Amino acid sequence: MRLFTEEMRKEISIVTHRYPMRVSGYYLGLITDRGDPIYRQCIPAPEELEDVTGQPDPLHEGAHCPVARLYHRYPDRVLLLATNNCAVYCRFCTRKRNISEKSSSISDRELAGAVDYLRHHEEVHDVLISGGDPLTLPVERLEAIIRAIRALAHIDIIRIGTRIPCVDPVRIDESLCAMLKRYHPLYVNVQFNHPAEITPESKKACSMLADAGIQLGNQSVLLKGVNDSPEVMKELVRRLLAIRVKPYYLFLPDLVKGTGHFRTSLECGLEIIRSIQGFMSGMATPQLVIDLENGGGKVPLSPVNVVDRQGGRYTLRNFENVRYDYVDSPSCKARG
């Protein structure tokens, strides 16, 4: 199959003047047809330029950036952008504004500034290293970043956000895993959005990380034409658990300019969660989350299962849509 016609190449070229394109050879090889779920995630579309909704920075990350590369939005945790580089430029990227032809990574000076900020903010116990994709960095450079953060006594855990096991799994090798293993407790959140992304190669990558003692969570984005159906998501979460990855979050798409064609309704997300809860193990159920515009932060969403309340008597709806009454216990006060 010829994947790109001459007309399509011209359309793609027009889009990439504004929103650059990068796709790993591995991920490109997963495409089976034009417009399939893999294609939609990585190949530029004219709709990106036609989107008149959204904002370049809908989460207002810039308002929570006390020093370069570091975002402090929540009381006990921060986000550190280690690089703007990715193996694949996802067309729905939250930080689409940061994508350029030239990638940039955190400098020694920026890292020192971030560490100094953390040193003076002992209320922070959790650092998420993201980007871009930190696992595109050389192992030695990534270790320097992790080592500098781990040296702070009040940092309890370090997390890494990455799509590498999904989009370029051969980058996960023994050298990387051996390095990461030295810095526990360390967690890695990956992103698989469709069952077709779970291959023998991606399974091996996740297995190597899990064997290094790293707990893996998955953060999917609910994307129109990719995974916006209960059937697709149920297969995805089942296959994730089979490769030792816990479904963690299912995000409603952020209101990023240039990504409007991916957006689905909130009700679509709730229907997917309803289709999983009770019908599959609780381990398979991700938390549906919306990251509010204008810096409001993440808000978890759940189907409404409390259908009535009369005094201390609640009427609850289970996964089969059958109603049951539950009589609440009297309130108790915590003992001092």
Side-chain angles (χ1 to χ4, degrees):
M1 178 191 72
R2 186 184 178 190
L3 190 57
F4 304 110
T5 65
E6 189 60 33
E7 182 180 353
M8 292 171 66
R9 289 177 184 273
K10 290 179 180 178
E11 286 185 345
I12 290 171
S13 179
I14 292 170
V15 178
T16 57
H17 280 301
R18 182 168 182 182
Y19 300 121
M21 170 186 177
R22 176 178 291 170
V23 187
S24 67
Y26 164 83
Y27 200 63
L28 191 66
L30 298 183
I31 296 174
T32 59
D33 197 3
R34 287 189 286 269
D36 76 9
I38 309 298
Y39 183 103
R40 283 183 60 80
Q41 291 186 71
C42 66
I43 305 300
E47 290 90 341
E48 295 179 42
L49 302 180
E50 298 165 4
D51 182 16
V52 296
T53 63
Q55 307 175 44
D57 180 15
L59 307 184
H60 284 198
E61 289 185 323
H64 305 283
C65 185
V67 297
R69 300 273 183 175
L70 187 134
Y71 298 97
H72 193 175
R73 172 63 184 87
Y74 300 98
D76 73 330
R77 55 201 183 277
V78 299
L79 166 67
L80 180 69
L81 298 189
T83 179
N84 291 341
N85 186 44
C86 288
V88 171
Y89 289 156
C90 300
R91 309 318 302 174
F92 50 89
C93 181
T94 293
R95 301 188 182 97
K96 206 174 177 81
R97 66 189 186 278
N98 290 346
I99 297 173
S100 65
E101 294 294 348
K102 293 184 178 180
S103 63
S104 63
S105 299
I106 192 169
S107 67
D108 288 341
R109 183 176 181 179
E110 289 170 333
L111 178 58
V115 170
D116 186 62
Y117 177 87
L118 291 172
R119 187 177 292 113
H120 291 88
H121 288 267
E122 295 190 359
E123 75 276 16
V124 175
H125 305 294
D126 178 349
V127 176
L128 170 61
I129 304 173
S130 188
D133 197 314
L135 297 193
T136 61
L137 294 171
V139 173
E140 297 78 11
R141 183 56 181 164
L142 180 59
E143 181 170 21
I145 296 169
I146 296 173
R147 185 192 303 119
I149 297 170
R150 179 55 73 212
L152 299 170
H154 60 283
I155 301 300
D156 297 328
I157 65 171
I158 296 173
R159 293 178 290 153
I160 294 175
T162 180
R163 282 211 86 186
I164 287 295
C166 173
V167 301
D168 198 11
V170 295
R171 283 180 175 264
I172 308 297
D173 57 20
E174 294 294 345
S175 174
L176 173 65
C177 292
M179 182 276 287
L180 294 175
K181 192 174 181 178
R182 292 195 286 269
Y183 295 96
H184 286 308
L186 189 145
Y187 299 77
V188 170
N189 285 328
V190 297
Q191 185 187 138
F192 289 85
N193 292 319
H194 191 274
E197 295 171 329
I198 300 178
T199 65
E201 293 84 0
S202 62
K203 178 181 178 181
K204 179 181 178 182
C206 291
S207 293
M208 292 177 69
L209 291 168
D211 287 345
I214 296 170
Q215 294 192 35
L216 299 172
N218 188 68
Q219 300 187 140
S220 293
V221 183
L222 185 60
L223 302 167
K224 186 176 182 179
V226 174
N227 57 14
D228 56 332
S229 78
E231 293 73 25
V232 169
M233 285 302 302
K234 285 194 287 187
E235 182 181 356
L236 174 62
V237 297
R238 179 180 62 82
R239 295 186 64 183
L240 284 169
L241 287 177
I243 62 171
R244 292 187 282 175
V245 178
K246 169 71 173 73
Y248 175 43
Y249 277 156
L250 174 59
F251 280 105
L252 271 294
D254 292 331
L255 301 177
V256 178
K257 190 172 180 62
T259 67
H261 56 297
F262 283 111
R263 292 180 201 138
T264 63
S265 68
L266 193 154
E267 181 56 38
C268 174
L270 290 171
E271 177 57 30
I272 286 172
I273 298 301
R274 276 193 289 265
S275 76
I276 297 173
Q277 284 182 334
F279 295 95
M280 302 181 73
S281 162
M283 287 284 292
T285 309
Q287 175 70 69
L288 182 66
V289 170
I290 183 168
D291 212 341
L292 295 174
E293 225 177 348
N294 302 321
K298 297 182 183 70
V299 173
L301 304 166
S302 299
V304 177
N305 294 315
V306 178
V307 296
D308 191 30
R309 176 186 176 184
Q310 299 291 333
R313 182 182 294 274
Y314 290 79
T315 301
L316 309 176
R317 178 170 47 207
N318 76 348
F319 72 101
E320 297 167 313
N321 203 29
V322 177
R323 298 188 179 196
Y324 293 85
D325 286 338
Y326 174 82
V327 178
D328 198 14
S329 299
S331 298
C332 64
K333 295 181 180 179
R335 295 179 181 177

